[in-house]
């Protein structure tokens, strides 16, 4: 993944000429100091770039045009140290295409009780200057994040950084390419959707290749490359007996490695950021990609099964947002329930393809039969997932809009060994409780495919949804069904109006 520090967020301070040169010099110096502090903070993952203060409509329009055209600029932070009459901002904001964060802070943390005079008041007027700016952003019906707090406070920095990470994910989607091998799984509804609208709304494209195009690349992989990758498998995982050297299914491990190398070559050559396949279309492939999908996800590629291109894109974006954080993000499916009273939980897994970034320890590399697809037994990585706060996110196409749905969950340490279950798996308890969480998910039309995250919060995804200007629905510890059902109905009206 790209180092997030290569991305820039521009720090733009608004003012006006009313106060004279000396005051504007101070505004610029203070603004520079804040930008420098944010840039150097260990809590901020991207580069924060100071931009000269803006005091006229022309300067504002110009810096917004510059931000739009800049390849490295992934978002803009605005702050009004003094008062910046907001009609000056109309034309700039109207054309701004990068995500916007409005930082409502003040250069001085405290009121200097004994020394405060009108000069102090006139310099430190963000309390009302930012309200004038805020009105205009609301008046223009623009999505943005408002962060309130002193600029050195940890909570302020953390909230800014959540947005910066979301902006990195959003930036990654722009002009991204995802590839589908084969079509959507026959008759499945939620994995399908409007790819034209998605490209318009989200900026990424999804195009298809016949599986034969991939098989050709797989078949061109040399034995030497396969041997090198098998050495890597041996160094990284515990291999089950039949896959070890001279084991009776060693050839299947070689086939799996060849599939991984072929997929990776295809993705690299086509500049793709993720892929989806389907067990219904594997002509010429020996196995359904198992370990290949698991390892490519761990390397940062988006993936989802059965032609589910929306989840592919979501997995990729969430991996970018989480760059450098402890824990992982994986394609996931709500598979089976445990309905024991007061201990209800969900067992999440997939046929094979759970990302090894969420493994709690060194995975076991094993081979088992797969009941569907009609191919040879696929090699896969087996592991459990650690306990802790997590979430499931899903993007669905409601016909007139996309909805990003998030359910906060508590991952549970498994008490049982599940010796006969040959797939990687996670146990979790949905928030606020099993009955409410699952019912809310179903009322909201959430998919069975999700991205499971150990290291992102619902705030990351809420900020991301705002950047994409799509609906965001959260199921968390405060959710209740009555309120959620109403929220969905009210949203329905809102999205018919806009
Ligand atoms: Mn599935």
């Amino acid at each position: 993944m790209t180092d997030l520090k290569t991305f820039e967020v521009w720090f733009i301070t608004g003012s006006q000429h009313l106060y004279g040169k000396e005051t504007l010099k101070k505004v610029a110096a203070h603004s520079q100091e804040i930008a420098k502090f944010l840039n150097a903070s260990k809590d901020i993952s991207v580069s924060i770039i100071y931009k000269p203060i803006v005091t006229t409509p022309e300067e504002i329009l110009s810096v917004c045009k510059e931000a739009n055209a800049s390849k490295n600029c992934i978002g803009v932070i605005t702050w009004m140290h003094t008062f910046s009459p907001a009609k000056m901002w109309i034309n700039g904001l109207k054309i701004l295409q990068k995500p916007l964060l409005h930082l409502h802070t003040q250069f001085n943390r405290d009121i200097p009780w004994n020394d405060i005079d009108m000069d102090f008041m006139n310099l430190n007027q963000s309390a009302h200057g930012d309200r004038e700016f805020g009105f205009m952003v609301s008046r223009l019906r623009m999505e943005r994040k408002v962060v309130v707090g002193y600029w050195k406070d940890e909570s302020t920095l953390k909230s800014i950084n959540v947005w910066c990470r979301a902006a990195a994910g959003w930036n990654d989607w722009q002009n991204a390419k995802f590839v589908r091998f084969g079509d959507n799984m026959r008759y499945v509804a939620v994995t399908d959707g409007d790819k034209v609208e998605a490209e318009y709304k989200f900026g990424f494209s999804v195009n298809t290749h016949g599986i034969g195009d991939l098989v050709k690349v797989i078949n061109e992989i040399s034995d030497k490359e396969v041997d090198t990758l098998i050495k890597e498998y041996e160094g990284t995982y515990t291999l089950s007996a039949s896959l070890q050297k001279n084991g009776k299914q060693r050839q299947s491990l070689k086939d799996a490695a060849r599939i991984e190398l072929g997929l990776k070559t295809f993705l690299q050559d086509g500049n793709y950021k993720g892929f989806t396949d389907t067990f219904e279309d594997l002509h010429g492939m020996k196995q359904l990609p198992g370990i290949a999908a698991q390892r490519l996800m761990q390397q940062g590629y988006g993936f989802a099964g059965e032609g589910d291109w929306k989840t592919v894109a979501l997995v990729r974006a969430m991996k970018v947002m989480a760059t450098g954080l402890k824990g992982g993000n994986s394609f996931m499916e709500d598979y089976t329930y445990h309905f024991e009273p007061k201990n209800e939980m969900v067992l999440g897994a997939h046929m094979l393809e759970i990302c090894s970034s969420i493994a709690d320890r060194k995975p076991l590399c094993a081979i088992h039969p797969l009941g569907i697809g009609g191919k040879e037994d696929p090699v896969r990585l087996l592991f459990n997932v650690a306990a802790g706060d997590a979430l499931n996110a899903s993007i669905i196409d409601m016909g007139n809009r996309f909805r990003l749905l998030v359910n906060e969950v508590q991952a549970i340490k498994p008490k049982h060994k599940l010796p006969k279950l040959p797939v990687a798996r996670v146990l979790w308890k949905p928030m606020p409780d099993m009955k409410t969480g699952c019912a809310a998910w179903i009322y909201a039309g959430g998919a069975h495919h999700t991205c499971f995250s150990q290291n992102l919060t619902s705030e990351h995804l809420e900020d991301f949804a705002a950047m994409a200007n799509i609906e965001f629905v959260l199921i968390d510890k405060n959710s209740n069904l009555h309120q959620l059902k109403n929220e969905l109905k009210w949203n329905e009206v809102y999205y018919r109006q806009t």
Side-chain angles (χ1 to χ4, degrees):
M1 304 300 269
T2 319
D3 177 4
L4 295 183
K5 277 284 175 196
T6 59
F7 296 126
E8 297 176 2
V9 165
W10 290 6
F11 191 85
I12 301 170
T13 306
S15 190
Q16 62 175 333
H17 282 282
L18 187 69
Y19 316 107
K21 274 189 186 153
E22 280 314 303
T23 304
L24 287 185
K25 265 191 206 164
K26 273 188 200 156
V27 169
H30 291 169
S31 171
Q32 242 166 325
E33 194 178 330
I34 296 178
K36 207 174 148 193
F37 178 84
L38 295 179
N39 187 48
S41 166
K42 64 171 176 34
D43 288 321
I44 303 287
S45 310
V46 303
S47 297
I48 306 290
I49 307 293
Y50 167 79
K51 288 281 152 184
I53 61 167
V54 286
T55 52
T56 65
E58 292 75 19
E59 285 169 358
I60 292 166
L61 180 61
S62 167
V63 76
C64 290
K65 279 184 182 167
E66 208 190 319
N68 285 348
S70 162
K71 195 166 168 283
N72 289 336
C73 173
I74 62 166
V76 164
I77 297 177
T78 51
W79 171 55
M80 309 301 128
H81 189 359
T82 51
F83 196 80
S84 182
K87 284 200 261 183
M88 298 198 303
W89 285 85
I90 294 174
N91 282 306
L93 289 175
K94 201 168 77 182
I95 58 125
L96 182 67
Q97 290 162 340
K98 300 287 166 94
L100 175 64
L101 182 147
H102 179 191
L103 178 60
H104 185 43
T105 190
Q106 181 170 284
F107 184 71
N108 269 60
R109 194 190 73 174
D110 298 341
I111 291 176
W113 302 110
N114 293 326
D115 300 323
I116 187 165
D117 56 12
M118 278 319 286
D119 285 346
F120 180 91
M121 297 269 276
N122 284 332
L123 184 60
N124 292 280
Q125 23 177 331
S126 42
H128 65 283
D130 272 330
R131 285 167 205 251
E132 164 76 357
F133 177 79
F135 162 73
M136 185 49 71
V137 188
S138 291
R139 174 65 180 81
L140 297 177
R141 271 81 175 166
M142 284 177 70
E143 287 283 1
R144 83 290 207 184
K145 183 176 196 178
V146 179
V147 174
V148 181
Y150 183 56
W151 48 283
K152 285 183 180 171
D153 278 356
E154 197 182 329
S155 65
T156 307
L157 294 166
K158 287 201 162 147
S159 203
I160 293 172
N161 200 39
V162 163
W163 175 88
C164 291
R165 285 184 170 277
W170 176 246
N171 178 69
D172 186 72
W173 266 10
Q174 306 314 305
N175 300 307
K177 290 165 67 185
F178 297 105
V179 60
R180 278 191 315 147
F181 298 113
D183 203 339
N184 189 59
M185 180 180 163
R186 281 188 282 277
Y187 304 111
V188 176
V190 78
T191 52
D192 223 323
D194 186 342
K195 296 194 287 297
V196 174
E197 185 67 13
E199 187 159 347
Y200 167 63
K201 202 83 194 164
F202 297 138
F204 62 72
S205 67
V206 182
N207 284 293
T208 190
H209 270 272
I211 197 74
D213 292 348
L214 172 61
V215 169
K216 186 168 176 290
V217 178
I218 291 171
N219 290 341
E220 282 166 3
I221 300 294
S222 71
D223 291 345
K224 194 167 162 254
E225 287 171 276
V226 170
D227 290 344
T228 307
L229 184 56
I230 285 195
K231 282 203 184 80
E232 189 181 325
Y233 290 173
E234 286 170 339
T236 316
Y237 314 113
T238 307
L239 262 57
S240 65
S242 68
L243 296 179
Q244 290 171 12
K245 207 170 184 180
N246 303 321
K248 63 180 189 305
Q249 288 173 296
R250 182 72 166 183
Q251 183 56 43
S252 295
L253 189 68
K254 291 183 184 172
D255 294 339
R258 194 179 296 279
I259 289 171
E260 177 181 331
L261 290 162
L263 267 167
K264 186 153 186 190
T265 304
F266 197 101
L267 295 171
Q268 282 174 336
D269 290 353
N271 201 21
Y272 294 111
K273 290 176 171 173
F275 71 102
T276 175
D277 56 15
T278 170
F279 64 90
E280 287 174 336
D281 190 354
L282 295 173
H283 305 288
M285 303 241 323
K286 290 193 171 166
Q287 308 168 14
L288 175 67
I291 188 172
Q294 293 179 289
R295 284 171 45 85
L296 288 167
M297 261 190 279
Q298 179 150 28
Q299 290 164 39
Y301 288 102
F303 173 82
E306 293 109 31
D308 185 355
W309 52 271
K310 294 191 298 299
T311 306
V312 172
L314 183 62
V315 168
R316 164 67 189 191
M318 288 172 69
K319 283 178 175 289
V320 172
M321 288 186 234
T323 302
L325 296 177
K326 198 169 164 281
N329 291 271
S330 177
F331 170 52
M332 189 58 68
E333 184 166 292
D334 295 73
Y335 225 108
T336 300
Y337 287 154
H338 183 64
F339 269 136
E340 179 192 348
K342 295 199 174 125
N343 190 32
E344 299 99 333
M345 59 185 110
V346 182
L347 189 146
H350 204 251
M351 289 182 298
L352 305 168
E353 312 94 330
I354 299 300
C355 177
S356 38
S357 67
I358 62 171
D360 68 344
R361 67 198 63 187
K362 186 175 179 176
L364 173 70
C365 178
I367 182 164
H368 294 275
L370 186 71
I372 55 173
K375 292 286 165 180
E376 294 177 15
D377 299 352
V379 176
R380 76 287 304 271
L381 298 172
L382 298 187
F383 50 84
N384 287 315
V385 174
D389 291 339
L391 60 80
N392 283 310
S394 164
I395 289 187
I396 51 171
D397 182 348
M398 291 299 290
N400 61 345
R401 65 191 188 274
F402 292 100
R403 169 181 290 159
L404 178 57
L405 177 63
V406 171
N407 188 192
E408 294 181 356
V409 303
Q410 186 72 42
I412 305 292
K413 189 179 161 65
K415 281 190 187 148
H416 307 276
K417 288 208 157 136
L418 290 65
K420 291 185 178 170
L421 186 68
V423 289
R425 60 284 187 130
V426 199
L427 287 166
W428 68 74
K429 296 187 174 194
M431 296 287 141
D433 57 72
M434 184 83 167
K435 279 180 194 286
T436 313
C438 295
W441 189 271
I442 287 171
Y443 280 122
H448 54 278
H449 284 170
T450 57
C451 182
F452 175 87
S453 179
Q454 294 176 311
N455 50 21
L456 296 176
T457 63
S458 51
E459 189 184 347
H460 289 100
L461 290 154
E462 185 168 2
D463 289 354
F464 185 75
M467 289 167 195
N469 201 10
I470 60 168
E471 182 185 6
F472 178 75
V473 175
L474 174 64
I475 306 164
D476 67 0
K477 65 179 191 318
N478 300 317
S479 292
N480 81 66
L481 282 180
H482 172 71
Q483 218 164 23
L484 182 116
K485 285 194 274 187
N486 278 333
E487 180 185 338
L488 295 172
K489 282 178 188 160
W490 295 331
N491 286 1
E492 199 58 44
V493 177
Y494 172 83
Y495 284 95
R496 280 192 188 155
Q497 298 279 326
T498 52

